[in-house]
Amino acid sequence: MHNIQPWWKTGVIYEVYVRSFQDSNGDGIGDLAGLTQRVPYLAGLGIDAIWISPFYQSPMRDFGYDISDYCAIEPIFGTLDDFDRLVATAHAHSLKVILDFVPNHTSDQHPWFVAARARRDSPKRDWYGWHEPGEDGGPPNNWLSIFGGSAWEYDTCTNQYYLHTFLKEQPDLNWRNPGVKAAMFDTMRFWLDRGVDGFRVDVIYALLKDDFFRDDPTNLKFRPGDNPYESLRHDNSLESPDVHDLLREMRELLDSYDGERVLIGETFHLSTLERFVSYYGKNLDECHLPFNFQLIMRAWDAQTIRAFVEEYEQVLPIGAWPNWVLSNHDQHRIATRAGSLAQAKLAQMLLLTLRGTPTCYYGDELGMSNVPIALEDERDPFGIRVPGQGRDPERTPMLWDSTPYAGFSTVKPWLPLTDGWQDLNVAAQQAEATSILTLFRALVALRRALPTLHIGSYATFACTPSSVFAYLREHGGERVLIVLQFGAEPCVIDTAVLGVRGEVLLSTYLDRIGSIPLDQIQLRAHEGLIVRLA
Ligand code: NOJ
Ligand code: CA
């Protein structure tokens, strides 16, 4: 069947945290040349696109999310030639390349900020959020930094405060200034002209703030132990309604290029589901895919997930395309959250069979779990400033083989390896018929082969016990049932209403395929099944 849908709807996106994917020059840190070496592996997984974490010039205070030159490559990661080779190699393997674009803030070492900070009358001054102290001489308002403390830093150089939603080394740009917009759109063009297939845009919901810098209200849902940032609602510091005008312009820029260049928004701290879907745009003219993080935020429980999938399907504007994320470089890995390898397998079946574009996180195809990091070894500034919030555990090196340092590097890597890496690595799992890696490849292949799985409709299949989440995908007369047993008990599902016989296409156990009677379906502990209905 001819595929007329754009690739970002039918395809699978895979996030590469470049620092931890493959080191090519023996410094213990992953780089672009290393990633290029691993393109055949990525193509072999059957995925369609890679999203690469930031590799631009950076003092690395927030590991690349603090950029001092948007059009240069950080030497740790390589050169522009390395980048061009990566894009050419990826494209030669039919893989799209999505860059991480970080427009909300620069590094404090960016020449724009250096100039802005030097003098109140600097032409670059208004490119950032400068403000007089509040009446008591303290910060201008009560806004908080996501990474701890006030969002305002007093600068003795010119005796004003500047705004930083993240670290004080990450000053927020003022997107209301036309010069900022023009300069940042130019940086997008720079990469689009070099052939990239789209952007994942960092904290897209934070780009514009309340014009009057009004205080944020108290969050009555705040609980002890939550990130102190959550003690306020961010009605004024985030989600300014006019951000949508800006996003439309960004989308126009992407649409002015040939090919289907994708705009993905990082939509995280959003107050409601309605607000979240507003990032598609009223006329679907903003983000193609505002990241849906709800599988990360909600409990790993069949009924919780079923309820959310239904709610999301209901609230999506007509024509808006869904998407799903299980893990990323900011959140605990799914194998850890779900609690076992069997559940990690189930989670991959969920991710790759729901309606909408899946984004996978490197290493999840191996069932990698969080690596505990002692407080004194922590590298992530968030974890160092706000205990318990560290993101190092989910950023550890990819496990390639059983040579020293798992084939990631020839020296001790910047973060430690997962315990048990000798058995968990790609080479070991490749040789194993029932490994999670084998399952992952089978799921991606099946999803590609069956239009029902990549573009079909979704409907919940109501059944008991409550530990099971089941749904039907349908397209062009073909019906596929997915049944997922979240519980640890074997169970029996009554499926007689679906017909007489079905064909098992895949089990998370990878040990059964073929025709089965449909009067009832038996599931083992944490088993997931994909069944084509006759
Ligand atoms: C979201 C990114 O995913 C995270 O890693 C980063 O620290 C913040 N934005 C700041 O850029
Ligand atoms: Ca390196």
Side-chain angles (χ1 to χ4, degrees):
M1 185 175 159
H2 183 57
N3 181 10
I4 45 157
Q5 302 285 342
W7 64 269
W8 53 266
K9 283 192 176 176
T10 56
V12 175
I13 301 171
Y14 181 102
E15 179 187 357
V16 173
Y17 192 69
V18 66
R19 266 186 97 81
S20 294
F21 203 61
Q22 177 66 59
D23 174 20
S24 72
N25 63 347
D27 62 0
I29 297 174
D31 44 56
L32 294 178
L35 171 52
T36 306
Q37 288 167 20
R38 295 301 185 179
V39 163
Y41 166 78
L42 294 167
L45 285 179
I47 55 133
D48 298 83
I50 50 174
W51 148 35
I52 313 167
S53 60
F55 46 71
Y56 317 98
Q57 186 182 297
S58 165
M60 292 291 152
R61 301 304 295 258
D62 186 21
F63 293 110
Y65 284 94
D66 50 322
I67 297 168
S68 53
D69 184 341
Y70 285 86
C71 298
I73 309 271
E74 169 60 33
I76 294 176
F77 295 130
T79 62
L80 266 177
D81 284 344
D82 292 328
F83 174 79
D84 289 340
R85 263 192 294 277
L86 168 61
V87 174
T89 309
H91 285 169
H93 286 78
S94 301
L95 291 181
K96 306 282 184 188
V97 178
I98 301 169
L99 300 198
D100 208 316
F101 183 56
V102 188
N104 181 66
H105 41 268
T106 67
S107 158
D108 64 347
Q109 303 303 307
H110 196 295
W112 300 340
F113 189 72
V114 173
R117 173 180 241 174
R119 301 190 328 257
R120 285 195 183 203
D121 64 355
S122 159
K124 291 285 185 294
R125 184 72 170 182
D126 184 53
W127 282 36
Y128 292 87
W130 294 96
H131 229 280
E132 290 298 335
E135 274 164 20
D136 59 355
N141 66 21
N142 72 348
W143 294 357
L144 295 174
S145 154
I146 295 180
F147 285 172
S150 169
W152 296 96
E153 179 71 11
Y154 188 69
D155 197 40
T156 49
C157 190
T158 52
N159 299 320
Q160 276 189 324
Y161 281 89
Y162 67 85
L163 182 66
H164 58 91
T165 303
F166 295 89
L167 297 175
K168 67 176 170 31
E169 293 84 2
Q170 294 169 294
D172 281 32
L173 282 164
N174 172 19
W175 273 82
R176 296 192 196 280
N177 180 302
V180 168
K181 190 158 88 183
M184 291 300 276
F185 276 38
D186 277 349
T187 69
M188 293 180 100
R189 284 191 197 95
F190 176 86
W191 296 106
L192 289 164
D193 290 341
R194 284 192 113 84
V196 309
D197 301 288
F199 297 104
R200 170 269 186 194
V201 183
D202 196 58
V203 289
I204 207 157
Y205 53 95
L207 295 184
L208 295 175
K209 288 87 179 162
D210 178 49
D211 251 341
F212 303 102
F213 291 89
R214 286 171 288 202
D215 276 355
D216 274 337
T218 304
N219 176 13
L220 297 175
K221 292 187 187 147
F222 180 71
R223 296 282 168 268
D226 292 350
N227 180 1
Y229 178 69
E230 303 302 346
S231 62
L232 297 180
R233 292 194 344 232
H234 310 291
D235 299 14
N236 293 320
S237 54
L238 305 176
E239 293 190 73
S240 177
D242 46 356
V243 77
H244 296 287
D245 302 329
L246 179 58
L247 295 184
R248 267 194 295 280
E249 284 185 62
M250 247 184 217
R251 172 69 175 269
E252 258 171 44
L253 171 66
L254 267 90
D255 286 351
S256 73
Y257 280 79
D258 60 354
E260 301 273 355
R261 317 266 178 137
V262 71
L263 184 63
I264 303 176
E266 194 216 358
T267 32
F268 193 70
H269 286 98
L270 300 184
S271 37
T272 65
L273 203 52
E274 284 70 21
R275 286 271 188 104
F276 157 63
V277 298
S278 73
Y279 286 81
Y280 284 101
K282 279 214 176 67
N283 298 309
L284 303 183
D285 49 4
E286 298 177 31
C287 298
H288 296 98
L289 305 172
F291 263 148
N292 165 17
F293 294 124
Q294 295 297 322
L295 290 180
I296 293 177
M297 312 309 296
R298 311 225 172 184
W300 184 247
D301 162 81
Q303 292 314 314
T304 308
I305 291 173
R306 177 196 52 74
F308 174 72
V309 174
E310 290 170 2
E311 196 185 343
Y312 181 52
E313 285 278 352
Q314 290 283 298
V315 92
L316 276 174
I318 289 175
W321 188 249
N323 76 90
W324 300 95
V325 183
L326 272 179
S327 304
N328 65 28
H329 65 286
D330 294 328
Q331 302 294 332
H332 296 325
R333 282 190 182 271
I334 182 62
T336 300
R337 288 186 291 114
S340 68
L341 183 59
Q343 299 228 49
K345 289 180 175 176
L346 194 78
Q348 292 305 323
M349 186 172 276
L350 172 75
L351 176 68
L352 292 159
T353 58
L354 281 171
R355 187 176 82 93
T357 306
T359 298
C360 309
Y361 186 48
Y362 85 97
D364 275 4
E365 75 272 30
L366 305 177
M368 273 171 70
S369 46
N370 276 9
V371 177
I373 310 280
L375 211 54
E376 60 276 18
D377 296 331
E378 247 181 299
R379 307 289 305 271
D380 179 17
F382 192 8
I384 292 168
R385 292 173 54 87
V386 187
Q389 298 291 329
R391 299 167 295 179
D392 296 333
E394 58 264 20
R395 296 177 173 180
T396 61
M398 180 67 175
L399 311 173
W400 294 105
D401 56 40
S402 52
T403 61
Y405 307 117
F408 165 72
S409 179
T410 49
V411 300
K412 191 169 173 225
W414 76 288
L415 284 176
L417 301 178
T418 321
D419 264 354
W421 60 270
Q422 292 86 345
D423 302 315
L424 218 65
N425 60 69
V426 171
Q429 292 206 35
Q430 219 142 244
E432 209 195 295
T434 60
S435 67
I436 184 168
L437 178 58
T438 305
L439 174 70
F440 182 87
R441 286 183 208 272
L443 279 165
V444 176
L446 193 59
R447 184 189 160 85
R448 182 182 295 282
L450 294 188
T452 305
L453 287 184
H454 59 250
I455 50 171
S457 61
Y458 167 91
T460 301
F461 177 68
C463 65
T464 53
S466 61
S467 59
V468 171
F469 174 30
Y471 45 97
L472 286 162
R473 305 286 314 276
E474 185 164 359
H475 176 76
E478 183 177 66
R479 286 194 307 159
V480 174
L481 172 73
I482 294 100
V483 256
L484 306 169
Q485 161 60 318
F486 281 61
E489 303 294 321
C491 67
V492 178
I493 320 293
D494 183 349
T495 47
V497 294
L498 295 175
V500 181
R501 294 199 75 79
E503 180 195 0
V504 174
L505 301 176
L506 196 60
S507 156
T508 51
Y509 281 63
L510 288 157
D511 62 352
R512 59 161 156 163
I513 49 170
S515 180
I516 51 164
L518 275 187
D519 49 345
Q520 35 179 241
I521 293 180
Q522 307 202 344
L523 293 172
R524 290 163 282 180
H526 304 305
E527 184 172 23
L529 276 188
I530 303 179
V531 183
R532 178 159 44 197
L533 305 180

